[in-house]
Amino acid sequence: MKTDKKEQTLFDHVGPTISTDRDITIVSKFEEPLIVVLDNVLSFEECDALIKLSEDKLQRSKIGATREVDQQRTSSSMFFEENENDVVALIEKRVSSIMNIPIEHAEGLQILQYKPGQEYKAHYDFFASTSKAANNNRISTLIMYLNDVEEGGETTFPKVNVSVTPKKGSAVYFEYFYSDQQLNDLSLHAGAPVIQGVKWVATQWMRKQRVRS
Ligand SMILES: O=C(O)CCC(=O)C(=O)O
Ligand SMILES: [Fe+2]
């Protein structure tokens, strides 16, 4: 007999809200792989501050171990250093409680900007098992939306038919640390092309082991 027992998840919050220094609302949940839409993750002031702090530092996004510019990802981006300023420090703390992973496992917060026509084609956030980075692989992601997008720019999970519309201050969380690799493979996702307006997001990736001292 096949037992459909669900696998343990990293995200362990129960009930409709997560209490951090802000009360974060759980808007919706897709169960396996776990994909959670969250509201009230960032204040509008924090969204504006992150955009302002990163605006002058944006560069064409690079991907993979070779850090090459690629058609896969046409956005512009930058990384904050850990604890780079008070806004980032407070957000990192909050994000760590949402993701239920110690801050020492967090990569630097990444800011992405997409203009009309720009996108991030379907990909996995974890590194291929053949890659050196897989020794301390990513296990979960939180994508925070820093503005409303006029048209387009949804985060889509094509294998499970989930689509999340950017909304200023809200976020989508997902994880891919299941022992069943088939579940991890369902976390394939994309940033759909922006049609009208600009899209800004902040992405937090967590690693299995610590990356900060
Ligand atoms: O922009 C998006 O909606 C997706 C971003 C993303 O997948 C990432 O930063 O890894
Ligand atoms: Fe991603």
Side-chain angles (χ1 to χ4, degrees):
M1 194 180 79
K2 185 173 166 11
T3 55
D4 284 320
K5 196 172 180 301
K6 279 220 313 250
E7 271 198 50
Q8 185 72 42
T9 56
L10 303 168
F11 186 94
D12 72 342
H13 306 286
V14 287
T17 55
I18 305 171
S19 295
T20 65
D21 63 305
R22 295 173 71 76
D23 280 339
I24 291 153
T25 317
I26 297 180
V27 177
S28 67
K29 243 182 185 181
F30 184 88
E31 294 293 340
E32 280 201 302
L34 187 61
I35 303 170
V36 187
V37 178
L38 301 160
D39 203 4
N40 201 36
V41 172
L42 300 176
S43 70
F44 280 19
E45 291 72 25
E46 287 170 331
C47 293
D48 298 342
L50 287 179
I51 291 174
K52 221 176 158 59
L53 287 164
S54 57
E55 224 154 23
D56 298 333
K57 303 182 190 161
L58 291 173
Q59 285 185 8
R60 177 72 190 275
S61 300
K62 301 183 169 70
I63 51 166
T66 52
R67 312 303 298 165
E68 281 177 295
V69 169
D70 198 285
Q71 277 314 109
Q72 167 90 5
R73 190 181 191 193
T74 50
S75 55
S76 299
S77 63
M78 60 82 65
F79 279 96
F80 284 112
E81 303 289 326
E82 58 185 81
N83 247 318
E84 181 163 328
N85 51 60
D86 290 351
V87 182
V88 169
L90 181 61
I91 294 171
E92 285 184 332
K93 233 177 125 187
R94 190 182 307 147
V95 160
S96 164
S97 15
I98 296 170
M99 299 177 85
N100 195 27
I101 299 290
I103 193 65
E104 290 78 18
H105 296 230
E107 292 187 27
L109 190 66
Q110 183 198 228
I111 307 293
L112 282 170
Q113 183 215 55
Y114 304 78
K115 292 186 171 148
Q118 295 183 335
E119 66 179 316
Y120 195 169
K121 291 196 175 126
H123 65 279
Y124 298 107
D125 284 354
F126 53 83
F127 301 106
S129 56
T130 48
S131 143
K132 207 176 157 205
N135 288 330
N136 184 11
N137 215 335
R138 291 178 178 156
I139 54 175
S140 60
T141 304
L142 183 70
I143 298 170
M144 292 163 271
Y145 303 104
L146 305 183
N147 71 329
D148 296 321
V149 182
E150 279 173 62
E151 201 184 345
E154 298 84 3
T155 305
T156 61
F157 296 81
K159 292 191 175 183
V160 291
N161 256 313
V162 172
S163 173
V164 183
T165 301
K167 176 175 174 276
K168 187 171 183 173
S170 73
V172 60
Y173 167 87
F174 54 99
E175 57 179 82
Y176 32 84
F177 189 50
Y178 295 100
S179 36
D180 180 358
Q181 187 54 33
Q182 282 186 44
L183 282 180
N184 298 328
D185 288 344
L186 294 178
S187 72
L188 185 80
H189 61 281
V194 169
I195 295 166
Q196 206 159 161
V198 179
K199 174 187 176 189
W200 287 89
V201 302
T203 302
Q204 180 68 65
W205 289 297
M206 288 295 183
R207 299 287 188 119
K208 183 168 177 258
Q209 290 138 20
R210 53 200 301 163
V211 285
R212 305 182 183 190
S213 45

